Amino acid sequence: MTTADRLTEPAPAPRTARPAKRGAGPAVRRRPRTVRSGRRRRRAVALLYLLPALLPYTLFAVLPLLHTAYLSLFDWDGVTLPSFVGVDNYRRIGTDPQLRAAAWHAGALILFFSVLPICVGLVSAAIVSRRAGRRGTALVRTVLFLPQVIPLVAVGILWRWVYGEDGTLNQALRTVGLGGLTDAWLGSFTWALPAVGLIGTWVVSGLCMVLFLSGTQRIDQEIYEAARMDGAGPVREFTAITVPLLRPEFAIALSITVIAALSSFDLIYITTGGGPGNSTVVPGILIYRLAFGGGAVGVASALAIVLTVVISLAVLVINRLSREAP
Amino acid sequence: MSPSPSSLSRRTFLAATGAVGAAALAACSDLTPGASSAEKSSSGPVSTAVPADKITLVVADADDTTMTPGLIAAFRAKHPNITVKRQYTGWDDYLKSINTTMSADSAPDIAQFTSGMQNLVPGRLLLKVGAYGKAYGWAEKFPGLDQITLTPDGKTVGTGDLYGVGAGLSFEGVYYNKAKARKLGLTVPPATLEDLEALFAKAKAAGETALVAGNLDGGLNHPFNVLLSAYLTPKDREAWAFGHTSATIVLPEAEKAAETLQRWVDKGYVTPKVNGVSDNDATAAFAKGEGVFRISGNWAAAAVAKGLGEGAGYFNMPPVTAGGKVRTTGAGVYYCVSGKSKNAAAAAAFLDFAAGAEAAAITAKAGFMAPDAGAMPSQSGLLGDVQTGWQTVVKDAGLQPFIQNASSPTMGDTLTTQLQLLAGGKATPEKFLAGLQTDFENYHK
């Protein structure tokens, strides 16, 4: 069968018969067929439509992933002959103290990349949606979303200036008479991780707000009107209507931000490189160090696979939870 | 949707995934390079004749001064039939990508050699240039060739085959702000390390930052390296940096160096909150007039001279006891030849060119020390002081390898981490050295 024949098949949905767009269909279409084979053909057509997306996805995502899984079974420095070591690399991961630290930090980053941005996004969405149409709202919305469009590397460089010894933050502290609180934030064992985390909060909050904003627009205004008739104020509206009805958006926001937290790399690489000491080391940094600096491609691959599995599980759990009825 | 098509699609999907996966795994043996490379060396007949046919050489480097481009331009002018293309990458990215670059079929003919590239030796991706070295007489022309002589496993430096040449050499010393030193009544140069520390104390008492440093990216390795040069015997230092079996850095002298550095931080001589300042920012701050002293390499001379002008001074790191030999830390910009190069003779000619008098002027202008020290044009001001300092180092044969360069591919990262812990008071000198030793042993096991 030629490609042209397949393309003239009706689209799988809607199921109702549709008049053929082209004049007379090819003879092949009039041949009597079983329902099952018709469905099979429609599947094939659907796959054909998917091909332009599926092909690059397979080439650039699925195959490299499989390749990484394969490499994780070897002791390989990236140059010389690899030697097969089975699951040894995975065992090494389990016993590495640096890795334990990295796992903790990734966990802490969920607070800054997910929990905080979702709270900030929710509140700002509530405020912006109530002010819709008034002057300045569009500007506020744009400003809040702006960090999302700046490349993370640029964000990192920007915030290095903010957090520097003579940076904006310290200058602000000195201006308001709190000069005693200044610090070289990214070089502090106590503050480096929260400092990097807050950059993440700043970046992701706008995205969460836009998600929630589109969610609130989906909510039927009559529900709000009914609530108002019952005497509900803005806070009550927010807790009783907006939050529960935004469940799907919550799931999306949580999935995206948890992935960002667990797979974080560029922001930390630019701002602290994992330091001071190991205080901001995350799995992404370790993978990079091991693979490209340390000549331990096998261990790095194993770590990457573990990270992929953990992230997939996290997203799976989030989606399961969000599907349950409120 | 009815179950039948759904299960069908799932089956199709699984089958497709399986097929793709199997194909990928089958292709994997081709995707792990190193499997098919053959050993390359110049042990056959080599000549010093520069080829006369039209040739293109690609030079990969991370040298952000004018040296490499200058050498390339001068070499091209001398040999018009040879086109030389430069493939520049920033330092960090160069280090992280060079293994892949050199494994590729399109590997550059010449590459700057640096730590972390030792794997290329057992990977047979570097040409053994010993025969060219003999033909050209490199042993007399280039100082410090032992730093690019490696054993077949690439793990030990100083013995084995020659893999390149060190063209421009760098070394570390102490810069100071002349105006401030005069104002504070500091006598320079100090005769001993103790005297230097006394100067630090005086500067600190006058409310100045005595030693400008930045450790966000591990810049304290400069003072630590030169302190090690002063305290540790050259034999112990080289054994460790060159990766000799059973070498150790857990030595009383190394502990003294680490203690000294930590004391400088604790006493407030070093830039406050040093872990939050990058090394480049420290140089920039010093060049702008902040602080009194800065321990760094000759690569910073141009920036310091530009910032402080006539007010910039330099002296060599003093020895532990007065009148002792001057020892400091340094390395070269090493050029090596790819095992895949089709133009090895032309590449070797380029390496040899770097040792000549014509190259010396280019190298010196870029702030490096030329292999042919006598051919370096004399310079005035700070660059002149640095050059004079270099003569003493050469006279005392005091140039020693950076400890992070040779001992293991991960030592750079480990040293940065450990120095941050040491400066932050999170590690004692013993723990600090033990951390370095662990990295060493993981690689040289």
Side-chain angles (χ1 to χ4, degrees):
Chain A
M1 189 190 282
T2 66
T3 312
D5 286 337
R6 287 197 214 172
L7 284 172
T8 51
E9 287 283 311
R15 290 288 172 91
T16 46
R18 238 173 33 172
K21 271 192 183 156
R22 295 183 197 174
V28 108
R29 285 189 65 213
R30 281 183 218 117
R31 203 192 300 153
R33 276 176 289 141
T34 61
V35 175
R36 198 184 161 96
S37 86
R39 277 183 186 148
R40 192 176 292 166
R41 282 164 57 93
R42 278 200 291 273
R43 290 274 133 205
V45 173
L47 272 176
L48 200 68
Y49 279 118
L50 279 177
L51 211 58
L54 204 61
L55 206 68
Y57 179 75
T58 312
L59 272 177
F60 297 112
V62 178
L63 287 183
L65 183 70
L66 289 171
H67 190 208
T68 306
Y70 173 79
L71 285 179
S72 72
L73 305 175
F74 287 85
D75 180 18
W76 189 41
D77 61 13
V79 177
T80 51
L81 274 176
S83 58
F84 186 81
V85 293
V87 294
D88 240 32
N89 289 331
Y90 291 92
R91 215 170 287 145
R92 233 179 103 184
I93 288 172
T95 55
D96 190 337
Q98 242 198 351
L99 198 92
R100 230 168 297 149
W104 273 115
H105 299 152
L109 284 186
I110 292 181
L111 177 75
F112 290 102
F113 279 65
S114 302
V115 180
L116 277 179
I118 285 176
C119 294
V120 173
L122 205 54
V123 171
S124 52
I127 294 169
V128 168
S129 72
R130 282 186 69 85
R131 288 185 50 92
R134 282 195 237 174
R135 271 181 66 186
T137 309
L139 182 75
V140 170
R141 215 164 48 195
T142 312
V143 167
L144 283 175
F145 189 71
L146 208 57
Q148 196 65 41
V149 274
I150 308 173
L152 273 184
V153 174
V155 168
I157 293 169
L158 191 87
W159 280 83
R160 259 172 81 154
W161 292 332
V162 174
Y163 282 136
E165 177 68 10
D166 292 318
T168 333
L169 180 59
N170 284 343
Q171 281 173 17
L173 283 173
R174 284 186 198 114
T175 314
V176 296
L178 293 171
L181 292 180
T182 58
D183 206 331
W185 302 97
L186 296 174
S188 153
F189 285 91
T190 321
W191 293 109
L193 190 65
V196 174
L198 281 172
I199 306 176
T201 311
W202 180 78
V203 172
V204 184
S205 290
L207 176 79
C208 290
M209 179 199 68
V210 169
L211 267 173
F212 294 138
L213 214 52
S214 71
T216 48
Q217 276 157 10
R218 182 177 48 81
I219 299 171
D220 199 337
Q221 284 303 312
E222 282 174 21
I223 305 177
Y224 284 106
E225 275 157 28
R228 266 173 227 153
M229 298 253 259
D230 290 341
V235 176
R236 188 67 207 235
E237 264 178 43
F238 178 71
T239 52
I241 303 171
T242 312
V243 173
L245 287 179
L246 281 181
R247 186 179 267 269
E249 281 76 18
F250 268 117
I252 297 170
L254 206 57
S255 304
I256 294 175
T257 56
V258 165
I259 292 171
L262 293 178
S263 64
S264 55
F265 166 74
D266 26 18
L267 206 55
I268 291 172
Y269 181 72
I270 293 293
T271 49
T272 63
N278 280 325
S279 57
T280 55
V281 148
V282 288
I285 293 277
L286 283 186
I287 292 170
Y288 180 70
R289 276 191 196 168
L290 286 165
F292 298 101
V297 178
V299 183
S301 301
L303 186 49
I305 293 294
V306 171
L307 188 63
T308 309
V309 170
V310 168
I311 292 175
S312 308
L313 281 177
V315 172
L316 208 71
V317 169
I318 291 166
N319 282 318
R320 273 285 147 79
L321 289 178
S322 74
R323 243 182 265 153
E324 278 165 25
Chain B
M1 199 177 275
S2 63
S4 122
S6 150
S7 72
L8 175 74
S9 79
R10 192 169 297 159
R11 218 180 305 143
T12 318
F13 176 75
L14 286 175
T17 313
V20 164
L25 287 180
C28 271
S29 59
D30 290 333
L31 291 170
T32 42
S36 57
S37 55
E39 184 160 26
K40 286 276 178 67
S41 87
S42 61
S43 54
V46 301
S47 92
T48 57
V50 182
D53 32 341
K54 272 196 171 286
I55 284 174
T56 302
L57 284 180
V58 177
V59 179
D61 74 306
D63 170 26
D64 59 358
T65 71
T66 51
M67 187 177 89
T68 300
L71 289 179
I72 289 175
F75 184 75
R76 283 188 66 177
K78 209 172 168 186
H79 304 286
N81 62 313
I82 303 177
T83 310
V84 190
K85 282 189 188 152
R86 186 184 184 211
Q87 189 180 307
Y88 169 80
T89 319
W91 186 247
D92 272 345
D93 299 322
Y94 182 81
L95 263 177
K96 306 291 185 200
S97 64
I98 191 66
N99 281 350
T100 330
T101 309
M102 295 300 279
S103 312
D105 286 334
S106 59
D109 300 277
I110 298 170
Q112 190 177 340
F113 184 90
T114 179
S115 64
M117 285 167 72
Q118 294 99 317
N119 290 333
L120 295 175
V121 172
R124 294 166 177 178
L125 293 170
L126 294 186
L127 186 75
K128 295 178 183 174
V129 292
Y132 284 111
K134 256 189 214 126
Y136 278 111
W138 285 344
E140 289 80 50
K141 291 179 177 175
F142 290 100
L145 278 186
D146 58 342
Q147 288 207 27
I148 192 157
T149 307
L150 296 138
T151 50
D153 65 359
K155 288 188 176 184
T156 309
V157 184
T159 56
D161 294 300
L162 183 69
Y163 284 97
V165 298
L169 289 136
S170 65
F171 72 111
E172 301 194 296
V174 189
Y175 293 96
Y176 71 101
N177 186 320
K178 278 184 180 168
K180 284 192 183 168
R182 210 175 301 128
K183 204 176 90 196
L184 301 173
L186 308 178
T187 332
V188 287
T192 64
L193 260 181
E194 214 173 311
D195 292 349
L196 178 66
E197 193 165 329
L199 297 183
F200 285 175
K202 253 186 170 174
K204 152 90 174 148
E208 285 284 353
T209 301
L211 182 63
V212 180
N215 202 31
L216 184 71
D217 38 14
L220 278 180
N221 85 78
H222 304 307
F224 180 63
N225 264 302
V226 291
L227 281 168
L228 265 187
S229 290
Y231 281 113
L232 209 56
T233 68
K235 201 172 126 259
D236 287 340
R237 167 66 169 263
E238 274 173 19
W240 204 73
F242 285 175
H244 294 175
T245 339
S246 73
T248 179
I249 193 142
V250 187
L251 296 166
E253 294 89 351
E255 206 174 308
K256 228 177 233 167
E259 266 168 20
T260 306
L261 184 64
Q262 201 176 41
R263 186 172 64 242
W264 289 356
V265 175
D266 289 347
K267 289 208 167 175
Y269 300 157
V270 177
T271 301
K273 287 153 194 168
V274 68
N275 279 343
V277 184
S278 80
D279 195 48
N280 274 339
D281 289 349
T283 300
F286 181 74
K288 256 197 296 184
E290 194 184 303
V292 187
F293 297 97
R294 165 128 178 94
I295 297 177
S296 184
N298 56 315
W299 57 83
V304 172
K306 202 176 160 200
L308 293 178
E310 291 296 302
Y314 170 88
F315 55 84
N316 281 332
M317 187 74 170
V320 178
T321 49
K325 290 206 165 184
V326 170
R327 292 203 299 257
T328 188
T329 308
V333 174
Y334 298 98
Y335 294 113
C336 57
V337 180
S338 161
K340 297 185 174 185
S341 174
K342 289 183 189 76
N343 301 306
F350 179 83
L351 265 53
D352 184 67
F353 176 77
E358 200 181 328
I362 297 163
T363 305
K365 239 201 230 149
F368 287 100
M369 303 300 122
D372 188 353
M376 282 170 75
S378 62
Q379 305 198 65
S380 59
L382 182 67
L383 290 170
D385 289 354
V386 171
Q387 214 163 303
T388 314
W390 171 241
Q391 314 287 359
T392 320
V393 174
V394 171
K395 187 176 78 34
D396 287 3
L399 194 68
Q400 304 198 311
F402 281 93
I403 55 159
Q404 65 268 40
N405 272 11
S407 20
S408 89
T410 40
M411 194 56 80
D413 283 335
T414 304
L415 184 63
T416 296
T417 302
Q418 289 297 331
L419 280 170
Q420 286 169 344
L421 293 169
L422 185 78
K426 301 272 174 187
T428 59
E430 303 97 76
K431 249 182 99 181
F432 163 78
L433 293 174
L436 299 184
Q437 187 62 25
T438 306
D439 183 299
F440 183 94
E441 276 161 18
N442 280 342
Y443 183 64
H444 295 284
K445 60 191 166 206

